[in-house]
Amino acid sequence: MAIEIARPGKTSLIVQTPVMPAAGTLGFADEYRSLIDYASLGALVTNPTTIAPWRPTAGTRVVPLDAGVLAHTGLPNPGLSALVRQYRRAWAKLPIPVVLHLLGTTPAQAKRAAKLLDAVDEVAAVELGLGDDVGVDEAVALVRAAATVEKPLLVRLPFYECQELARPVAEAGADALVMTAAPRGTARDAEGGQLVSGRIYGPLIKPLVLRMVGRLRRELPADLPIIGCGGIHSPTDARDYIEAGAVAVQVDAATWAQPKMLERIARDLGGWIATRHADALLDEWHPDMEPAKAPHSRGTS
Amino acid sequence: MAIEIARPGKTSLIVQTPVMPAAGTLGFADEYRSLIDYASLGALVTNPTTIAPWRPTAGTRVVPLDAGVLAHTGLPNPGLSALVRQYRRAWAKLPIPVVLHLLGTTPAQAKRAAKLLDAVDEVAAVELGLGDDVGVDEAVALVRAAATVEKPLLVRLPFYECQELARPVAEAGADALVMTAAPRGTARDAEGGQLVSGRIYGPLIKPLVLRMVGRLRRELPADLPIIGCGGIHSPTDARDYIEAGAVAVQVDAATWAQPKMLERIARDLGGWIATRHADALLDEWHPDMEPAKAPHSRGTS
Amino acid sequence: MRETQAIVERIKRVNRGYQRLELAVDRSLSALLPGQALLVRRISKDYAAEIWHPYLRDLWFPVDVLASNILVVEQPAREQFVPGQLLSLLGPIGKPLRFRQKLRNLLLLAYATPPTPLLMMLPPLLEQGTSLTMVTMGSARDYDCAHLPEEVEIIQASDDHSWGDMVMTLGWADQIFALVGEGPELIRFAEIMRLIRSRRSDVPANTIFGIFQRQLPCGVGACQACMLPVRPSARLQCLDGPAFDLTQLRLA
Amino acid sequence: MRETQAIVERIKRVNRGYQRLELAVDRSLSALLPGQALLVRRISKDYAAEIWHPYLRDLWFPVDVLASNILVVEQPAREQFVPGQLLSLLGPIGKPLRFRQKLRNLLLLAYATPPTPLLMMLPPLLEQGTSLTMVTMGSARDYDCAHLPEEVEIIQASDDHSWGDMVMTLGWADQIFALVGEGPELIRFAEIMRLIRSRRSDVPANTIFGIFQRQLPCGVGACQACMLPVRPSARLQCLDGPAFDLTQLRLA
Ligand SMILES: Cc1cc2nc3c(=O)[nH]c(=O)nc-3n(C[C@H](O)[C@H](O)[C@H](O)COP(=O)(O)OP(=O)(O)OC[C@H]3O[C@@H](n4cnc5c(N)ncnc54)[C@H](O)[C@@H]3O)c2cc1C
Ligand SMILES: Cc1cc2nc3c(=O)[nH]c(=O)nc-3n(C[C@H](O)[C@H](O)[C@H](O)COP(=O)(O)OP(=O)(O)OC[C@H]3O[C@@H](n4cnc5c(N)ncnc54)[C@H](O)[C@@H]3O)c2cc1C
Ligand SMILES: Cc1cc2nc3c(=O)[nH]c(=O)nc-3n(C[C@H](O)[C@H](O)[C@H](O)COP(=O)(O)O)c2cc1C
Ligand SMILES: Cc1cc2nc3c(=O)[nH]c(=O)nc-3n(C[C@H](O)[C@H](O)[C@H](O)COP(=O)(O)O)c2cc1C
Ligand code: FES
Ligand code: FES
C-alpha cells in the first residue's frame, strides 16, 4: 500500500512503506548503507539543515539515561547549498524518496530554502522542523514561508507545543504533520558533572506522543495526514501509531542501538498494512519474513 | 534543615526533610508502615481525594512499559468527609505532617473542601491537583477557591500545561508549586488488547520535568517554592532537582518497585543538605548510614 | 508484610515449559500459606546498579515450602536464572485461601493459564483426604502435569470447554477455585460462571472463587490499581485477595 | 562496517579489577587493527525480548586477535558475563592507528582510565623491535599491569603527574598516544599537552595523538554526536578517529 501526500498545484510524495527515519538519526544520505536496506524504507528523512552553515556546539554531549539517552549536537550542517552539492548524487542513487529536513529559523530563510529546494530534483519533499518555544505566530509565519515550495511540505511539531500548534500550522499550509520532535530535557552530564539540556530519546517517550497523536487525529481534519514519531522501538510500537490514526511513522534513536530494527519495522508495517487491506490474518506476516513481493497493480490510496 | 512553606495569615507547613511521596503512590495514610520509616520523610502527601466519593473506573489498568508503567485507577476515594473520619486517627499518629491532595473539580467544591479541611487539625497543608486540559481561567478559579484555606496551599501542575499555568496559578494564591503530575499517555493494554490511556511513570520522565523545573525556577519569583516531582528513582535524581532550584522533591512510582528507595532518598537528601550547610564533604554522608541525629537547635530557614 | 532478600539456591527443570527454583528466604516466609504470594524483583549487590526494567515486581505464588527457610517457586523455563541470583521479596501478599471444613471434593479450574497458584494446596489437601480434580481449559491444556502428585485427577477440557462427567464434577464439588489468564479476567471469569451455571442449578455463595493474578504495583493497599468490583464494595486484590467469591463479583 | 553476532566463549580473570573475554566472532573481524573498536550490545535469542537498558552500545577496543574468529576483550570484573552470552557487534569502528615507519620509541600515556585501548598494539610493536613505555597517571595507576608483556616499561607517575626521567621519556619518544578518562576529555587532553610542552620544546604535528573513547550513538557518521573540534574542520570520532593529532585539536 502506498501513501500519497499531495495537494493541488504541488508534486506528490509517494511513500511505498509507511516507515522512515526521524530527522537527525540516519544522517544526510546513505551513511547506514552497510547496515540497512534502504529499499525497505518508505523514504529517507535527512538530518536537520539550515540555509547558513551551523557548526557543532562546543558542548556536544551524549548522556546515557535509564532506558534512554540525551543527545545534544547543535545540529551541525554545511548550509543548504553546500549540502545539496555534497549529497545530491548520493540522493539520486537511493531507491527511495528523499525528504529534506529544514530547520525553521526565519521566514525569510525558509522562503529562500523553499526556492532553492524546488530546483533540486533529488529532493521529493521538505520537512520543516519547528523549534521549541516557537510561538503560534512565528510558527505560522515559518510554515507560510516554507509552503511556497512546490513539493509537499511536512511540518514536524515540537513535543511540548504539539497540541497548540497543530491546527494553526495545518491551516498555514502544512501538507502533513509529523508528531513530534524528540522532547528536550535536562540531565547530569557524566563528563562535566553539570546539568545539561538536549533531546531525550527512549521507549518511554512513546506513550506520551502516542496519546497526542490519538487526540489530535480526532480533532484535526481527517484528510490531513499525521506521521507519528516518538519512542518507536518495535513493530508493535509502530502499529500502535497506525492504529491511533497515523498514516506513517518515523523511527528515531532505536536505529542507533539496533540498526536492523528500522528495517524490521518497515517490513512488518509494509506487510501488515498490505495484508490488512486484503482481509488477511495478522499472523500471516512475520517480521522475519522477507519483504512481500509488490502486488501486480499497486494503486495509490 | 527545615523548609517552611508559609504566607502571612496562614499556618505554616514545616518539612524537616525535603522528600515526600507524590500523591497517588503511597496511599491515604500509613499503608506502607511495615516497609518505610515514616519519620525519615518530610511529609505524607495523600492519594487524591474529592468532595464526592469517586469509584474506581471500570477499566482499572496497569500496563507494563519498557522501564516504566502506565496506571489508571479512576482515583477512587470515599469522599472528603468520610475519608477524614476514616483516616484522621492514623494521621494523628504519623510522625510527619500530612498534606492532603485535593483534586480540582469545581471552584465551589474546592471552596467547600478548604472550609472542611481548616477544621481538620491532622491535616497540615492542602495540595490541589489540577487536571489535564484545565485551561488557565479554570485553573485560576480553582486555585482562588482552594486558597481560601487557612493552611498552606500547594498546587500540583499537570505535565503538559506546566509552563503555561505556573505563573497564573502562583498569582492566584498558590504557596508552592509541585511540578508536575505524571504525564498522561497511551499504551496497548496487554489484557484487553486496545489502546488505553493513563498516567505514565518511569525514570525517563525525569529529564523532561527536570528541564521544566530549571526553566521555571529562573522565570518565577524567587520566593515561590517549587517542589520537583517526576521520574525520581535515586538520590542522585533527587539532588538534581534540588540543584535545578526545587526546595523539595516528591518521589512517585519508584516506591512501588523499591519501597526502601524513598527512605534512602530522604536520608540522603536530609543528610546532604545538612552537611552542605555545615561545609562538610559530600562523602561524609552515605545513603546506607542511619539517619543523622537531629541537631540540638533546629531552626527553620 | 516485609521486604526481605532471597537467593536462588537450586534450579530444576520439571517439564518442557517450566523450572522450579529453590529460594533461600527469610524464615518469616515459611509461614506462607496457599493463596499467598510474593512480589519479586531481581537485585544485585551493587545498589547503585538498579535496573528499572522490568519496572514492577513480578507476582510469584510459591508452590511448596521445603524447610523453614526454603521456598519453591515455578517459573517458565525461558526465564533465565542462575544459582546465586539475589532477589528482593515483598510479602506475604494477600490472604490464605479458605477451605471448607470437611472438604471432600475440591475442583480446580485453570483456564488459559499455567495452574501455578493452585499447586501449593495440593499436598496438604491430599494428606487430609480431600479428593482433588483439576480441569485444564484452553491453553492451560499445554501445561504438562506429569510432575504433580498422581492422586490429583487431571482432566483436559475439550475445545468447547466441556469435559466428560462435567455435570457430575461440577455438582459434586464442595468448593471450586478458578484461575484465568490471557485477556480480560472479568470476562474470563464470567465465562467460567456461565459454564458452571449451565450445568449446576445452585451456585451458593462461598463456593466458587476466582483467584486473581493481576500485576500489583504496590502490594500494600496504597496505589489502588488492583481494585476489583466486588459487592457490596470494591476490594483490593493485594489486601483482600487473591480469591474472591465469583457470585459477589460484578462480572463484565 | 557490518552488524554481526558473537558468543562469549571463555572468561578469564586477569587481575583484581579486570577479566578477559574470548569472543567467537565473524571472520571478517579478524582483520581488525589496533585503534579499531566494536559497538557492542548484549542480545538474546528471543528478538522480542529486546531490553533497552543500557540504551546505547558499549565501545569495546579488543586487546588481541587469537585466531581467525576469536577476539579478546578486556572488561571490568564487576560486569557479569557467562559463557554462551550472545552479543551483537557493529564494526570495525574507526581507523587503525598510524605508526611512524621505523618507530623506535613509543610512549603511551593513560590518564585516569584503564589503558585497554592501548593494549592491542603491544605484541606486534614489540615484535618489530619498538621500545615501549607506558605511563599511568591519576587513577590509571590503580590498573594492575602484571599481565602485560614484561618488555613494556611501566611507569607510575606521581600525584603531580610527573615522573623520573620525564624529560628524557618525553623527548626520546618518536610518537606518543594518550588516553584520558573521567571528566571532560578536552580539558584532560589540554592538561596532557601542557605537561608535554612544559618538558619538551618541539611538539611537531603527527607526533602526539589523543585517543578518544566517547560513547558513540550510531558509529556510522549519521548522528553527529561524536563530532570533535579538529582543525581545519570538525571531524567524527566514529569515522575519522579514535586518534586525533592533539596539535590540531581545539582544546578546552
Ligand atoms: C488512539 C487511541 C485509541 C484508543 N482506543 C481505545 C479502544 O479501542 N478501547 C478503549 O477502551 N479505549 C481506547 N482508547 C482509550 C480511550 O479512548 C481514552 O481513555 C479516552 O479517549 C480518553 O483519552 P484521553 O487521552 O482524552 O484521556 P485523558 O484526557 O487523559 O482522560 C483520562 C480519563 O479521564 C476521563 N476524564 C477526563 N475528564 C473527565 C471529567 N471531567 N469527568 C470524568 N472523567 C473525565 C476520560 O474519560 C478518560 O477516561 C484509545 C485511546 C487512543 C488515544
Ligand atoms: C537547572 C539547570 C542547571 C544547569 N546548569 C548548567 C551548568 O552548570 N553548566 C552548563 O553548562 N549548563 C547548565 N545547564 C544547561 C544550560 O543552562 C542549558 O542548556 C541552557 O540553559 C538552555 O536550556 P534550555 O532548557 O532553555 O534549552 P533549550 O531551550 O532546549 O535550548 C537548547 C539549546 O539551544 C540553544 N538555543 C535555543 N534557541 C536558540 C536560538 N534562537 N539561537 C541559538 N541557540 C538557541 C540554547 O542556548 C540551548 O543551548 C543547566 C540547565 C538547567 C535546566
Ligand atoms: C534560531 C536558532 C539559531 C541557531 N543558530 C545556531 C548556530 O548558529 N550555531 C549552532 O551551533 N547552533 C545554532 N542553534 C542550535 C542550538 O544551539 C541548538 O543546538 C539546536 O537547537 C539543537 O540542539 P540539540 O542538538 O540539543 O538538538 C540555533 C538554534 C536556533 C533555534
Ligand atoms: C472533573 C472530573 C470528574 C471526574 N469524575 C469521576 C467520577 O465521578 N468517578 C470516577 O470514577 N472518575 C471520575 N473522574 C476521574 C477520571 O475518570 C480519571 O480516571 C481521573 O482523571 C484519573 O485518571 P487516572 O486514574 O488515569 O489518573 C473525574 C475526573 C475529572 C477531571
Ligand atoms: S497493588 Fe497497590 S493497592 Fe493493591
Ligand atoms: S557516532 Fe554518530 S556520527 Fe559518530
Side-chain angles (χ1 to χ4, degrees):
Chain A
M1 190 201 69
I3 294 149
E4 183 174 8
I5 293 173
R7 175 182 284 226
K10 289 202 170 192
T11 59
S12 288
L13 170 67
I14 296 177
V15 174
Q16 297 290 351
T17 304
V19 179
M20 49 193 108
T25 56
L26 219 66
F28 289 108
D30 58 352
E31 285 89 333
Y32 266 96
R33 63 192 164 276
S34 56
L35 298 170
I36 291 174
D37 174 15
Y38 280 75
S40 70
L41 309 180
L44 172 76
V45 183
T46 69
N47 273 12
T49 66
T50 44
I51 282 279
W54 275 17
R55 304 199 348 200
T57 49
T60 295
R61 56 185 86 114
V62 175
V63 182
L65 305 170
D66 285 292
V69 67
L70 174 152
H72 178 68
T73 62
L75 309 175
N77 76 91
L80 201 50
S81 307
L83 195 115
V84 167
R85 278 196 304 278
Q86 189 175 340
Y87 291 105
R88 70 189 307 167
R89 284 170 135 213
W91 291 338
K93 281 192 201 140
L94 286 176
I96 49 172
V98 171
V99 178
L100 187 123
H101 185 96
L102 177 73
L103 272 179
T105 48
T106 64
Q109 291 194 330
K111 203 161 190 170
R112 256 180 69 198
K115 198 162 172 208
L116 197 154
L117 288 168
D118 269 334
V120 183
D121 291 342
E122 292 82 357
V123 168
V126 175
E127 177 179 291
L128 178 74
L130 296 178
D132 299 275
D133 298 321
V134 69
V136 172
D137 296 344
E138 194 186 338
V140 164
L142 282 167
V143 174
R144 284 218 183 104
T148 55
V149 74
E150 280 160 25
K151 303 173 200 271
L153 179 70
L154 288 58
V155 178
R156 182 164 78 162
L157 299 174
F159 174 85
Y160 296 103
E161 296 76 20
C162 176
Q163 167 95 25
E164 186 190 354
L165 293 179
R167 188 175 289 272
V169 158
E171 286 165 1
D175 300 318
L177 298 181
V178 180
M179 296 178 188
T180 68
R184 301 197 75 80
T186 295
R188 188 169 297 278
D189 188 12
E191 227 194 59
Q194 322 99 316
L195 295 177
V196 296
S197 89
R199 288 160 278 151
I200 306 293
Y201 299 99
L204 209 63
I205 302 300
K206 183 209 143 192
L208 308 184
V209 177
L210 181 62
R211 171 170 173 267
M212 293 189 204
V213 167
R215 288 172 67 121
L216 285 165
R217 179 64 292 164
R218 284 168 266 159
E219 288 176 20
L220 293 171
D223 62 350
L224 177 72
I226 293 176
I227 298 170
C229 175
I232 295 175
H233 285 72
S234 68
T236 315
D237 287 343
R239 290 176 184 212
D240 288 349
Y241 273 101
I242 303 291
E243 185 170 332
V247 299
V249 295
Q250 294 185 350
V251 178
D252 56 33
T255 307
W256 297 338
Q258 283 290 45
K260 279 284 170 204
M261 191 55 84
L262 176 60
E263 200 178 315
R264 175 179 288 263
I265 292 169
R267 288 185 179 180
D268 181 275
L269 246 69
W272 183 51
I273 289 180
T275 52
R276 196 165 72 152
H277 277 249
D279 267 339
L281 296 174
L282 289 190
D283 295 348
E284 291 176 13
W285 181 262
H286 183 270
D288 278 325
M289 284 165 62
E290 282 303 293
K293 293 276 169 292
H296 292 295
S297 74
R298 197 161 206 170
T300 61
S301 72
Chain B
M1 192 202 68
I3 294 149
E4 183 174 6
I5 293 172
R7 174 181 285 226
K10 289 201 169 190
T11 60
S12 288
L13 170 67
I14 296 176
V15 173
Q16 297 290 351
T17 304
V19 178
M20 48 192 110
T25 56
L26 219 65
F28 289 109
D30 58 352
E31 286 89 334
Y32 266 95
R33 64 192 163 275
S34 56
L35 297 170
I36 290 175
D37 173 15
Y38 279 75
S40 70
L41 309 180
L44 172 76
V45 184
T46 70
N47 274 11
T49 65
T50 43
I51 283 281
W54 275 18
R55 303 195 352 196
T57 48
T60 293
R61 55 185 88 112
V62 175
V63 182
L65 305 170
D66 285 292
V69 66
L70 175 151
H72 178 68
T73 61
L75 308 175
N77 76 89
L80 202 49
S81 308
L83 194 113
V84 168
R85 278 197 302 279
Q86 190 174 342
Y87 292 105
R88 68 189 308 167
R89 284 171 136 216
W91 292 335
K93 281 191 203 141
L94 285 177
I96 48 171
V98 171
V99 179
L100 188 125
H101 186 98
L102 176 74
L103 272 178
T105 49
T106 64
Q109 291 195 329
K111 202 160 189 170
R112 254 180 71 199
K115 196 160 171 208
L116 198 152
L117 289 169
D118 270 332
V120 183
D121 292 339
E122 293 82 357
V123 169
V126 175
E127 177 180 291
L128 178 74
L130 295 179
D132 299 276
D133 298 321
V134 68
V136 172
D137 295 344
E138 195 185 339
V140 165
L142 283 166
V143 174
R144 284 218 182 104
T148 55
V149 75
E150 281 159 24
K151 301 172 200 270
L153 179 70
L154 287 59
V155 179
R156 182 163 80 162
L157 299 174
F159 174 85
Y160 295 104
E161 295 78 19
C162 177
Q163 167 95 27
E164 187 189 354
L165 293 179
R167 188 176 288 274
V169 158
E171 286 165 1
D175 300 317
L177 298 180
V178 181
M179 297 177 185
T180 68
R184 301 196 74 81
T186 295
R188 188 169 298 278
D189 188 12
E191 224 194 64
Q194 324 100 316
L195 294 178
V196 296
S197 89
R199 289 159 278 152
I200 306 294
Y201 299 99
L204 210 63
I205 302 302
K206 185 211 142 191
L208 308 184
V209 178
L210 181 61
R211 172 172 173 267
M212 292 188 204
V213 167
R215 288 172 67 122
L216 285 166
R217 179 65 289 166
R218 284 168 265 159
E219 288 177 20
L220 293 171
D223 63 349
L224 178 72
I226 294 175
I227 298 170
C229 176
I232 294 176
H233 285 73
S234 69
T236 315
D237 287 345
R239 290 176 184 215
D240 288 350
Y241 273 101
I242 302 291
E243 186 171 332
V247 298
V249 296
Q250 294 185 351
V251 178
D252 55 32
T255 307
W256 297 339
Q258 282 292 44
K260 279 283 171 205
M261 191 55 84
L262 176 59
E263 201 178 315
R264 174 178 288 264
I265 292 170
R267 288 184 178 183
D268 181 275
L269 247 69
W272 183 52
I273 289 180
T275 53
R276 196 165 70 151
H277 277 249
D279 266 339
L281 295 174
L282 289 190
D283 294 348
E284 291 176 13
W285 181 262
H286 183 272
D288 278 325
M289 284 164 62
E290 281 305 292
K293 293 277 168 291
H296 292 294
S297 74
R298 198 162 205 169
T300 61
S301 70
Chain C
M1 155 69 69
R2 288 177 58 197
E3 182 179 0
T4 55
Q5 288 194 6
I7 299 178
V8 177
E9 292 283 357
R10 207 151 170 262
I11 301 167
K12 206 175 76 186
R13 191 69 167 262
V14 293
N15 62 28
R16 195 166 20 85
Y18 292 85
Q19 59 192 336
R20 287 191 167 191
L21 315 182
E22 294 181 11
L23 309 181
V25 300
D26 186 89
R27 273 159 206 282
S28 64
L29 290 176
S30 62
L32 199 120
L33 290 168
Q36 293 185 302
L38 299 167
L39 281 171
V40 184
R41 181 176 172 81
R42 296 182 198 212
I43 53 175
S44 69
K45 269 167 217 157
D46 180 7
Y47 208 98
E50 194 71 55
I51 299 280
W52 296 99
H53 182 86
Y55 193 77
L56 295 181
R57 287 168 177 258
D58 282 331
L59 186 67
W60 287 7
F61 288 88
V63 297
D64 207 352
V65 180
L66 276 196
S68 70
N69 69 332
I70 303 282
L71 284 185
V72 184
V73 295
E74 202 171 286
Q75 283 288 300
R78 65 165 186 279
E79 295 282 333
Q80 282 192 15
F81 292 95
V82 284
Q85 167 76 55
L86 280 182
L87 303 172
S88 156
L89 309 180
L90 283 190
I93 304 290
K95 295 194 159 52
L97 301 179
R98 292 172 60 188
F99 302 105
R100 289 252 164 110
Q101 286 189 310
K102 305 202 193 108
L103 181 63
R104 283 161 310 170
N105 298 305
L106 179 65
L107 178 63
L108 303 173
L109 297 176
Y111 177 15
T113 172
T116 325
L118 303 172
L119 303 187
M120 191 173 178
M121 70 177 88
L122 303 182
L125 288 179
L126 286 171
E127 196 157 311
Q128 70 174 53
T130 305
S131 143
L132 295 176
T133 305
M134 182 160 81
V135 178
T136 56
M137 301 157 64
S139 64
R141 295 174 296 179
D142 300 340
Y143 182 88
D144 177 357
C145 295
H147 65 299
L148 302 186
E150 56 186 18
E151 301 93 319
V152 181
E153 183 191 15
I154 310 283
I155 298 174
Q156 289 200 349
S158 57
D159 286 347
D160 68 354
H161 305 326
S162 73
W163 61 91
D165 294 337
M166 191 172 172
V167 172
M168 218 168 61
T169 340
L170 288 172
W172 282 7
D174 307 311
Q175 244 183 320
I176 302 178
F177 289 100
L179 199 64
V180 300
E182 290 169 28
E185 56 204 339
L186 292 178
I187 292 175
R188 290 266 184 272
F189 279 127
E191 289 176 50
I192 300 261
M193 277 306 269
R194 271 199 299 278
L195 197 79
I196 295 174
R197 287 213 160 98
S198 72
R199 311 289 161 113
R200 178 171 162 159
S201 48
D202 65 318
V203 183
N206 283 314
T207 305
I208 302 176
F209 294 87
I211 295 180
F212 283 78
Q213 307 182 64
R214 291 194 172 176
Q215 191 155 24
L216 303 176
C218 77
V220 301
C223 73
Q224 307 191 285
C226 67
M227 210 170 250
L228 290 164
V230 174
R231 268 178 291 256
S233 68
R235 306 293 286 277
L236 297 172
Q237 176 189 324
C238 67
L239 294 188
D240 310 312
F244 293 96
D245 185 342
L246 287 185
T247 64
Q248 298 307 309
L249 204 67
R250 293 173 210 273
L251 293 168
Chain D
M1 156 68 68
R2 288 175 57 197
E3 182 179 1
T4 56
Q5 287 194 7
I7 299 178
V8 177
E9 291 283 358
R10 206 153 172 261
I11 300 167
K12 206 174 75 185
R13 192 70 167 263
V14 292
N15 62 29
R16 196 166 20 88
Y18 292 85
Q19 57 192 337
R20 288 191 166 191
L21 315 181
E22 293 181 13
L23 309 181
V25 300
D26 187 87
R27 274 161 204 281
S28 63
L29 290 177
S30 62
L32 199 118
L33 290 168
Q36 292 186 305
L38 299 167
L39 281 171
V40 183
R41 184 176 169 79
R42 296 181 198 214
I43 53 175
S44 69
K45 269 168 215 152
D46 180 6
Y47 208 98
E50 193 72 53
I51 300 280
W52 296 99
H53 182 85
Y55 192 76
L56 295 181
R57 287 168 176 257
D58 282 330
L59 187 66
W60 288 7
F61 288 87
V63 295
D64 208 353
V65 181
L66 277 195
S68 70
N69 69 334
I70 303 282
L71 284 186
V72 184
V73 294
E74 204 171 286
Q75 283 287 300
R78 64 165 186 277
E79 295 282 332
Q80 281 193 15
F81 291 95
V82 283
Q85 167 74 55
L86 279 182
L87 303 172
S88 156
L89 308 180
L90 283 189
I93 304 290
K95 293 193 160 50
L97 301 180
R98 291 171 63 188
F99 302 104
R100 289 249 166 111
Q101 283 189 311
K102 305 208 194 98
L103 181 63
R104 282 162 311 169
N105 298 305
L106 180 67
L107 178 62
L108 303 173
L109 298 176
Y111 178 13
T113 170
T116 326
L118 303 173
L119 303 186
M120 191 173 179
M121 70 176 87
L122 303 182
L125 287 178
L126 286 171
E127 197 157 311
Q128 70 177 53
T130 304
S131 146
L132 295 175
T133 305
M134 184 159 82
V135 178
T136 56
M137 300 156 67
S139 64
R141 293 173 299 178
D142 301 339
Y143 183 87
D144 177 358
C145 295
H147 66 300
L148 302 186
E150 55 186 20
E151 301 93 319
V152 181
E153 184 191 13
I154 309 284
I155 297 174
Q156 288 200 352
S158 56
D159 286 348
D160 68 354
H161 305 328
S162 72
W163 60 93
D165 295 338
M166 190 175 174
V167 172
M168 218 170 62
T169 340
L170 288 173
W172 284 6
D174 306 313
Q175 244 182 321
I176 303 177
F177 288 101
L179 200 63
V180 299
E182 290 169 29
E185 55 203 343
L186 293 179
I187 291 175
R188 290 266 184 271
F189 279 128
E191 290 176 49
I192 300 260
M193 277 306 268
R194 271 198 298 280
L195 197 80
I196 295 175
R197 285 212 161 103
S198 71
R199 311 289 161 118
R200 178 171 163 159
S201 49
D202 66 316
V203 182
N206 281 315
T207 304
I208 302 177
F209 293 88
I211 296 180
F212 283 78
Q213 306 183 63
R214 291 195 170 176
Q215 191 155 25
L216 303 175
C218 77
V220 302
C223 73
Q224 307 191 286
C226 67
M227 210 170 250
L228 290 165
V230 174
R231 268 179 292 255
S233 68
R235 306 292 286 278
L236 297 172
Q237 175 187 324
C238 67
L239 294 188
D240 309 311
F244 292 95
D245 185 341
L246 287 185
T247 65
Q248 300 304 308
L249 203 67
R250 292 173 212 271
L251 293 168

